[in-house]
């Protein structure tokens, strides 16, 4: 049954209300609150029952047949929401807006928020070390405006991107946007790419928030940026019903201030995840992240995503690392303090637009407790960080919130004794009443002489006196017992005194819960007043934690402070790839990389598996670490400041778009050549291998010549085309180097050491032998290589009967296969089959 097929005039009042609300949220799954459950009907019910593996039932709604329905308990809804949101669905939460006890007829209901992948704020749904960005893209004639925010932390940014779809996609993927809001003038191909190729949630919206939240962009003059901010805010505030008053003032991101890296570079260098398994483990961020707070981990990732170009700011971070390395005792004490700090950024977001509970407030309180200690140590180090101690708020939370409160706000036990006089009086009344009731059993037994008399309580009948059937005859009317409930073996009674005390206790308990909830809401309002001060403190703590992490890494991995030069010179002594060194089971071979101002290109030759790609990645990683403000893995390093890194490392077909290995190679190479400046770094690993040998060689040589003549940026170019090594005679800014290997007794040993000059052979057959190729295949390859090297014309393949058996058993003319083809097992008797098998075995042994 579909919602569109229903005659609404026949529906029950509750279902009519559901239909009206659902009409406003066609794209979302509507969680409709009914008592203790969220219920889903019609298509939503069918969909969710399938996605969450729930039982699909039906509900009477005034129609002849029951409407499809499934439901989830409201008190444990979070796991269900998480699964749906992670699958890419948006969920509209419809709550009861008034108390059913005080309402006649249908309870008023309305959607209070929309939950989607890009606007989650509950900490348990989010990766603590990653931002959760939602973005808006506006398409103007000459540029895109990309505005993105992390609702869970309150950060909002805006930047302009030149009108180039590849650059826009690269930025969206770099930021790992979970949702993108597009205006209706955007190219349909972009929508298709985002939704179907990259599985990013896309919403089309062309409206802007014209009133409210002006403080976010009050310092911005550019109308394009303001439009992008209003576009994103409309979606958050109007479409998703978010209160985002915790958002900071927007930061306008200038890409010119940072080292530029496209998505291919970030992935090839495995900065945030490995290429093969797409896991954080064994990535560069995994190696360097020794942060004690989630805020610090996110800040460190931002630094790695956006390495600096400002020499003064880079040197400031070097100085701080040096200070921390010298003051190692204070550093360890700070790390212990930081371990006590919870995720203040995301807790602040929960105060404004999440379901803040008392345990969240305890985390805020515990974080504030250690601030005085952190401030004292920061002052000793001489770091200029704006960390406030928040004395007033800390004192309030210490006095108000119980140390072990419940998860929900309607169970009581939220507020400490002594915080509120009225609450203390109600607790005294409640406690006194309960003490009276607990003593009533003994006094009533003594008064009545009935030894089996019990005083009990249940939610339906309240407090009662229970008399067994055998003792009913002993009841005296003068006792004032009033029958309340009959059981199989007993009767339950109430007395005027018990009724009076019951009303006192139950009223007090109800008042306590309501009062505690109201007091908690007042405390929440006090926290709201401090939100931006708390967020400033959180930002400063994240910087402190990130720089301490880099200090810890510098000592753990023997990193050194680099020297920054303006002479366009690279001089690295004993450089290392820090991740490979960390995970390698053998001793890592360090290598120099020396390129003075007259050398722009290192042309690297050497066999496969010898370490060419690692050497190239190693240089890029050292540069990224240096410009993010980290010490670097080397004995010494003297580096220029780069404006961009372009890589083409590894080769794989782009199966989704149908582009071949060679096309992907050429597109990435073009991106580098068109956008690189003399201050860029280019890494090309075996460019041209995706096509025919002479084609590839010609293109590789042309690219090398173009870079050397026109761009003159630092370039590492590895190749198997030995003919290219003669280019150093034509261009003085090209230098040949090779990876050393030793050949002995037809075996090869890789030394992984970079030496000057070109290598004279590829050792490809030796590598094949190391891979345990069949010996006959290796011998045949050597024969073919000898023919090529001797310039002999190869015989036609058809004239040669060369057949390889991977088990090293050559079979002439495939006689065995011919015999097998003649056999029809369906017409053979068992005895004939055995005899034939014997013949074939004998034939195979010959």
């Amino acid at each position: 049954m579909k919602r569109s097929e229903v005659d609404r005039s026949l529906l029950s009042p509750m279902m009519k209300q559901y239909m009206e609300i659902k009409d406003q949220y066609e794209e979302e799954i509507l969680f409709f609150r009914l008592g203790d459950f969220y219920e889903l009907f019609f298509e939503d019910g069918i969909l969710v029952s399938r996605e969450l593996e729930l039982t699909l039932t039906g509900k009477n709604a005034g129609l002849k047949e029951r409407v499809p329905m499934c439901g989830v308990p409201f008190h444990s809804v979070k796991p269900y929401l998480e699964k749906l949101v992670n699958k890419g669905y948006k969920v509209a939460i419809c709550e009861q807006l008034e108390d059913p006890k005080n309402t006649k007829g249908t309870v008023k209901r309305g959607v209070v928020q929309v939950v989607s992948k890009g606007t989650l704020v509950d900490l348990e749904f989010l990766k603590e070390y990653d931002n959760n960005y939602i973005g808006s893209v506006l398409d103007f004639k000459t540029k895109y405006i990309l505005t993105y925010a992390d609702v869970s932390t309150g950060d909002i940014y805006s930047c302009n991107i030149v009108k180039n779809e590849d650059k826009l996609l690269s930025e969206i993927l770099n930021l790992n946007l979970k949702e993108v809001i597009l205006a209706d003038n955007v190219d349909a191909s972009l929508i298709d790419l985002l939704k179907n190729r990259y599985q990013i949630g896309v919403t089309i919206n062309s409206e802007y928030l014209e009133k409210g939240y002006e403080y976010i962009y009050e310092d911005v003059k550019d109308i394009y940026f303001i439009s992008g901010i209003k576009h994103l805010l409309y979606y958050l505030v109007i479409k998703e019903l978010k209160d985002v008053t915790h958002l900071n003032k927007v930061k306008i991101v200038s890409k010119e201030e940072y080292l530029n890296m496209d998505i291919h570079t970030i992935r090839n260098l495995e900065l945030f995840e490995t290429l093969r398994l797409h896991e954080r483990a064994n990535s560069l961020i995994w190696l360097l992240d020794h942060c004690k707070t989630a805020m610090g981990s996110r800040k460190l990732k931002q630094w790695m995503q956006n390495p600096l170009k400002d020499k003064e700011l880079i040197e400031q971070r070097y100085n701080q690392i040096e200070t921390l390395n010298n003051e190692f005792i204070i550093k360890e004490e700070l790390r212990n303090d930081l371990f006590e700090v919870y995720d203040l950024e995301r807790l602040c977001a929960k105060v404004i637009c999440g379901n803040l509970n008392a345990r969240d407030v305890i985390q805020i309180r515990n974080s504030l407790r250690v601030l005085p200690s952190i401030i004292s140590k920061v002052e000793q180090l001489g770091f200029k960080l704006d960390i406030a101690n928040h004395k007033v708020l800390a004192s309030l939370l210490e006095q108000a919130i119980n140390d072990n409160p419940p998860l929900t706000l309607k169970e009581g036990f939220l507020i400490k004794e002594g915080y509120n006089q009225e609450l203390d009086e109600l607790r005294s009344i409640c406690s006194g009443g309960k003490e009276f009731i607990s003593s009533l059993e003994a006094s009533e037994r003594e008064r009545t002489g009935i030894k089996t008399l019990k005083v009990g309580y249940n939610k339906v009948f309240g407090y009662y006196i229970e008399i067994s059937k055998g003792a009913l005859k002993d009841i005296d009317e003068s006792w004032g017992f009033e029958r309340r409930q009959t059981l199989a073996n007993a009767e339950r009674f109430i007395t005027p005194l018990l009724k009076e005390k019951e009303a006192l206790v139950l009223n007090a308990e109800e008042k306590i819960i309501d009062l505690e909830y109201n007091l908690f809401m007042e405390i929440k309002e006090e926290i709201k007043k401090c939100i931006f001060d708390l967020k400033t403190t959180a930002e400063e703590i994240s910087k402190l934690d990130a720089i301490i992490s880099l200090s810890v890494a510098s000592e753990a991995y023997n990193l050194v402070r680099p020297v920054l030069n303006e002479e366009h010179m690279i001089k690295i002594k004993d450089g290392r790839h820090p991740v490979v060194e960390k995970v390698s089971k053998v001793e890592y071979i360090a290598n120099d990389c020396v390129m003075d101002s007259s050398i722009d290109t290192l042309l690297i030759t050497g066999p496969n598996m010898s370490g060419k790609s690692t050497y190239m990645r190693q240089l890029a990683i050292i540069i990224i670490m240096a410009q993010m403000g980290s010490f670097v893995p080397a004995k010494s390093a003297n580096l220029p400041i780069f404006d961009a890194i372009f890589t083409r490392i590894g080769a794989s077909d782009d199966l989704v778009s149908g582009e071949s290995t060679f096309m992907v190679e050429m597109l990435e190479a073009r991106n580098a050549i068109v956008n690189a400046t003399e201050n860029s770094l280019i890494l090309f690993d075996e460019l041209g291998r995706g096509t025919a040998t002479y084609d590839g060689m010609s293109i590789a040589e042309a690219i090398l010549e173009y870079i050397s003549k026109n761009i003159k940026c630092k370039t590492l170019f590895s190749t198997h085309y030995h003919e290219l090594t003669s280019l150093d005679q034509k261009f003085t800014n090209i230098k040949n180097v090779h990876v050393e290997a030793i050949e002995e007794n037809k075996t090869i040993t890789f030394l992984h050491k970079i030496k000057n000059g070109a290598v004279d052979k590829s050792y490809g057959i030796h590598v094949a032998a190391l891979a345990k190729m069949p010996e006959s295949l290796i011998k045949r390859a050597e024969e073919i290589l000898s023919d090529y090297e001797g310039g002999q014309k190869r015989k036609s393949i058809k004239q040669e009967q060369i057949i390889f058996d991977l088990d090293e058993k050559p079979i002439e003319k495939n006689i065995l296969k011919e015999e097998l083809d003649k056999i029809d097992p369906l017409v053979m008797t068992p005895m004939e089959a055995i005899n034939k098998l014997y013949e074939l075995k004998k034939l195979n042994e010959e």
Side-chain angles (χ1 to χ4, degrees):
M1 181 190 298
K2 293 183 179 180
R3 193 164 56 88
S4 58
E5 300 170 349
V6 170
D7 182 350
R8 297 195 179 191
S9 64
L10 300 176
L11 292 173
S12 64
M14 183 279 292
M15 191 55 69
K16 283 180 180 176
Q17 183 188 53
Y18 167 84
M19 298 289 263
E20 290 168 2
I21 295 172
K22 178 62 183 173
D23 288 343
Q24 301 170 47
Y25 295 91
E26 295 280 357
E27 296 179 2
E28 292 81 13
I29 294 171
L30 184 64
F31 272 44
F32 191 75
R33 178 74 178 272
L34 284 171
D36 288 342
F37 282 83
Y38 289 109
E39 297 189 357
L40 301 102
F41 304 106
F42 298 103
E43 291 91 337
D44 282 359
I46 295 168
L47 172 68
V48 172
S49 69
R50 184 183 71 242
E51 293 287 4
L52 301 184
E53 298 180 357
L54 301 174
T55 301
L56 184 68
T57 61
K59 188 176 187 73
N60 293 321
L63 304 175
K64 290 183 178 179
E65 61 179 297
R66 290 154 62 89
V67 303
M69 183 205 84
C70 69
V72 297
F74 89 96
H75 55 81
S76 58
V77 71
K78 284 187 177 180
Y80 301 105
L81 279 180
E82 183 182 13
K83 287 180 183 178
L84 288 172
V85 168
N86 284 337
K87 288 173 180 280
Y89 297 107
K90 298 178 187 176
V91 179
I93 307 295
C94 179
E95 293 286 3
Q96 296 173 169
L97 303 180
E98 53 189 5
D99 191 339
K101 295 177 185 175
N102 306 323
T103 306
K104 291 183 178 179
T106 306
V107 175
K108 185 179 179 181
R109 294 180 176 85
V111 172
V112 295
Q113 66 169 319
V114 176
V115 182
S116 61
K117 207 167 187 178
T119 57
L120 292 171
V121 293
D122 284 326
L123 276 65
E124 55 266 44
F125 291 171
L126 301 168
K127 291 181 179 177
E128 62 177 18
Y129 48 76
D130 269 340
N131 282 100
N132 193 64
Y133 288 126
I134 180 171
S136 146
V137 175
L138 293 182
D139 185 350
F140 295 102
K141 288 185 178 179
T142 58
K143 61 185 175 184
Y144 295 107
I145 294 294
L146 173 62
T147 306
Y148 53 99
D150 184 344
V151 178
S152 74
T153 66
D155 293 324
I156 180 168
Y157 307 87
S158 193
C159 64
N160 72 57
I161 298 171
V162 67
K163 192 70 177 289
N164 181 302
E165 196 172 276
D166 289 337
K167 288 188 175 182
L168 175 65
L169 279 170
S170 179
E171 194 64 25
I172 288 172
L173 296 174
N174 275 348
L175 292 167
N176 193 22
L177 296 189
K178 301 298 190 296
E179 277 187 84
V180 178
I181 318 304
L182 301 172
D184 55 14
N185 69 331
V186 78
D187 195 306
S189 64
L190 178 61
I191 299 173
D192 180 62
L193 278 171
L194 292 172
K195 287 179 70 172
N196 301 321
R197 185 170 174 187
Y198 298 112
Q199 284 75 53
I200 296 173
V202 173
T203 299
I204 306 301
N205 167 64
S206 296
E207 297 187 69
Y208 303 82
L209 187 72
E210 295 300 341
K211 289 186 178 181
Y213 296 93
E214 288 86 357
Y215 77 92
I216 292 174
Y217 51 86
E218 64 184 359
D219 299 329
V220 179
K221 306 302 180 188
D222 190 320
I223 189 65
Y224 292 107
F225 289 132
I226 293 173
S227 296
I229 296 161
K230 288 181 175 181
H231 184 242
L232 180 58
L233 285 174
Y234 181 88
Y235 179 78
L236 294 175
V237 176
I238 305 301
K239 298 292 285 184
E240 295 227 335
L241 304 174
K242 300 289 183 190
D243 177 354
V244 289
T245 50
H246 67 296
L247 287 182
N248 301 325
K249 287 189 175 184
V250 68
K251 295 177 185 175
I252 304 301
V253 178
S254 172
K255 305 305 286 185
E256 299 302 314
E257 296 176 8
Y258 305 105
L259 169 69
N260 181 43
M261 300 178 289
D262 63 17
I263 187 63
H264 307 295
T265 297
I266 286 173
R267 287 179 176 173
N268 285 334
L269 297 177
E270 299 183 308
L271 298 187
F272 305 116
E273 63 178 24
T274 56
L275 278 169
R276 181 174 296 180
L277 299 177
H278 303 289
E279 292 179 348
R280 193 174 191 260
N282 299 330
S283 67
L284 183 61
I285 191 69
W286 163 82
L287 186 84
L288 297 183
D289 188 355
H290 296 269
C291 292
K292 292 294 186 179
T293 70
M295 302 175 291
S297 292
R298 292 195 295 272
K299 181 61 67 179
L300 189 68
K301 183 176 180 180
Q302 289 169 14
W303 286 359
M304 192 178 290
Q305 278 179 317
N306 301 288
L308 299 167
K309 287 166 59 179
D310 186 313
K311 184 178 179 181
E312 187 177 341
L313 293 177
I314 297 170
E315 294 280 6
Q316 281 179 15
R317 291 182 189 170
Y318 293 165
N319 292 339
Q320 289 179 326
I321 291 172
E322 210 158 66
T323 300
L324 287 162
N325 288 350
N326 293 331
E327 300 288 352
F328 54 88
I329 294 176
I330 296 177
K331 178 174 71 177
E332 284 308 309
E333 290 174 348
L334 269 174
R335 295 189 78 209
N336 292 333
D337 286 343
L338 289 169
F339 186 70
E340 302 298 323
V341 178
Y342 289 84
D343 197 340
L344 278 176
E345 282 183 327
R346 285 181 167 161
L347 287 168
C348 286
K350 285 194 77 174
V351 171
I352 301 297
C353 60
N355 298 315
L356 187 80
N357 60 44
R359 294 189 186 179
D360 296 325
V361 177
I362 289 294
Q363 291 185 357
I364 295 173
R365 184 198 71 184
N366 291 346
S367 300
L368 299 184
R369 276 179 178 174
V370 296
L371 291 185
S373 177
I374 291 173
I375 292 167
S376 172
K377 294 178 179 67
V378 167
E379 288 173 351
Q380 290 179 59
L381 292 170
F383 291 178
K384 294 180 180 178
L385 295 173
D386 184 19
I387 304 175
N389 57 28
H390 304 280
K391 280 185 180 177
V392 175
L393 180 61
S395 175
L396 171 66
L397 301 186
E398 289 285 359
Q399 294 173 35
I401 304 297
N402 266 330
D403 290 333
N404 294 298
L407 274 173
T408 66
L409 302 180
K410 291 288 189 177
E411 294 180 42
F413 307 105
L414 301 176
I415 306 300
K416 276 185 177 178
E417 189 176 337
Y419 176 71
N420 180 272
Q421 184 178 349
E422 183 185 353
L423 180 61
D424 289 346
E425 289 174 358
L426 285 170
R427 283 173 172 164
S428 177
I429 292 169
C430 185
S431 174
K434 286 184 175 179
E435 286 176 9
F436 168 80
I437 290 168
S438 64
S439 65
L440 183 64
E441 185 173 277
S443 63
E444 285 295 305
R445 282 183 179 181
E446 187 177 341
R447 183 168 76 94
T448 63
I450 300 174
K451 303 300 182 185
T452 57
L453 179 148
K454 295 177 183 177
V455 175
Y457 172 83
N458 66 36
K459 288 185 178 181
V460 177
F461 293 102
Y463 288 100
Y464 55 80
I465 294 171
E466 185 174 295
I467 307 291
S468 64
K469 282 283 176 74
L472 289 176
K473 63 182 184 307
D474 300 325
I475 294 176
D476 192 314
E477 287 186 10
S478 64
W479 296 347
F481 282 13
E482 299 175 20
R483 183 173 278 101
R484 174 163 279 192
Q485 185 184 13
T486 300
L487 303 177
N489 299 314
E491 294 279 347
R492 288 175 177 173
F493 301 88
I494 190 76
T495 67
L497 182 60
L498 187 58
K499 194 181 294 184
E500 179 187 333
K501 292 294 183 182
E502 176 188 70
L504 189 70
V505 170
L506 296 183
N507 286 340
E509 284 184 343
E510 191 172 319
K511 285 179 180 178
I512 285 170
I513 288 172
D514 289 342
L515 180 56
E516 285 205 71
Y517 178 80
N518 292 333
L519 289 170
F520 182 82
M521 290 297 110
E522 289 175 8
I523 293 165
K524 182 177 176 180
E525 289 302 314
E526 292 301 313
I527 300 173
K528 278 186 179 182
K529 294 175 184 177
C530 305
I531 280 296
F532 287 105
D533 289 337
L534 283 171
K535 284 165 64 63
T536 299
T537 295
E539 170 72 9
E540 298 297 271
I541 286 176
S542 72
K543 293 176 187 175
L544 177 65
D545 199 14
I547 204 71
I548 290 175
S549 178
L550 293 180
S551 170
V552 172
S554 74
E555 294 183 321
Y557 311 126
N558 194 25
L559 310 182
V560 299
R561 176 172 181 158
V563 175
L564 303 177
N565 68 69
E566 297 178 6
E567 286 78 48
H568 201 56
M569 172 186 71
I570 296 175
K571 189 175 181 181
I572 298 171
K573 177 70 175 173
D574 288 343
R576 313 184 307 276
H577 190 302
V579 179
V580 176
E581 181 183 32
K582 170 73 174 175
V583 301
S584 179
K585 295 178 182 177
V586 297
E587 183 182 355
Y588 187 86
I589 306 299
N591 275 299
D592 299 347
C593 183
V594 179
M595 302 173 75
D596 60 31
S597 55
S598 65
I599 299 297
D600 294 325
T601 299
L602 291 185
L603 186 57
I604 310 167
T605 49
N608 284 323
M609 295 172 56
S610 62
K612 298 192 301 296
S613 297
T614 300
Y615 179 69
M616 298 170 76
R617 287 187 172 99
Q618 170 180 308
L619 173 61
I621 283 173
I622 287 173
I623 288 165
I624 290 166
M625 288 176 67
Q627 290 187 221
M628 69 181 279
S630 170
F631 286 11
V632 299
K635 193 171 184 179
S636 64
N638 196 328
L639 304 165
I641 291 178
F642 289 87
D643 62 11
I645 297 177
F646 301 95
T647 67
R648 174 58 199 169
I649 300 174
S652 59
D653 289 353
D654 190 338
L655 298 177
V656 178
S657 65
E659 290 173 352
S660 67
T661 298
F662 186 62
M663 175 57 81
V664 173
E665 278 189 331
M666 290 302 99
L667 289 172
E668 292 184 14
R670 175 190 173 277
N671 178 51
I673 291 166
V674 168
N675 294 295
T677 71
E678 64 176 348
N679 295 318
S680 302
L681 174 69
I682 293 178
L683 306 178
F684 282 160
D685 188 18
E686 298 183 30
L687 198 67
R689 65 182 170 180
T691 188
T693 301
Y694 292 112
D695 276 355
M697 190 190 307
S698 303
I699 291 168
E701 182 170 346
I703 288 173
L704 269 171
E705 289 184 0
Y706 185 91
I707 292 171
S708 298
K709 283 181 183 178
N710 301 303
I711 305 175
K712 298 182 180 178
C713 66
K714 297 300 184 189
T715 303
L716 268 58
F717 195 111
S718 75
T719 185
H720 283 299
Y721 299 137
H722 293 216
E723 293 81 354
L724 299 182
T725 58
S726 62
L727 284 173
D728 67 336
Q729 299 168 22
K730 185 176 179 182
F731 297 95
T732 57
N733 59 347
I734 294 180
K735 178 183 176 181
N736 280 310
V737 296
H738 70 277
V739 190
E740 192 175 14
I742 297 175
E743 182 185 358
E744 291 180 332
N745 301 324
K746 294 188 177 183
T747 64
I748 185 171
T749 303
F750 301 125
L751 301 183
H752 304 292
K753 198 70 181 174
I754 299 293
K755 297 285 187 179
N756 289 330
V759 72
D760 58 354
K761 58 193 297 186
S762 290
Y763 302 102
I765 293 174
H766 297 81
V767 174
L770 285 176
K772 305 296 185 186
M773 283 285 191
E775 189 176 338
S776 59
L777 187 151
I778 297 296
K779 287 179 179 177
R780 180 58 189 154
E782 289 172 343
E783 291 173 9
I784 295 170
L785 177 62
S786 179
D787 287 348
Y788 275 133
E789 290 176 339
Q792 297 177 17
K793 184 179 178 181
R794 290 186 61 206
K795 297 177 183 178
S796 166
I797 295 294
K798 291 180 181 178
Q799 293 174 344
E800 299 182 74
Q801 287 191 343
I802 304 164
I803 301 166
F804 296 113
D805 176 12
L806 293 184
D807 292 325
E808 298 296 333
K809 294 174 182 175
I811 304 171
E812 294 179 2
K813 298 184 181 179
N814 259 337
I815 296 171
L816 187 61
K817 183 177 184 302
E818 291 175 6
E819 288 299 314
L820 283 169
D821 288 341
K822 294 176 185 177
I823 296 172
D824 184 355
L826 296 177
V827 298
M828 296 179 73
T829 65
M831 185 57 69
E832 288 173 340
I834 291 171
N835 290 334
K836 195 65 179 177
L837 183 62
Y838 177 77
E839 290 174 18
L840 292 172
K841 187 174 184 298
K842 197 170 182 181
L843 182 65
N844 188 45
E845 290 170 350
E846 291 177 354

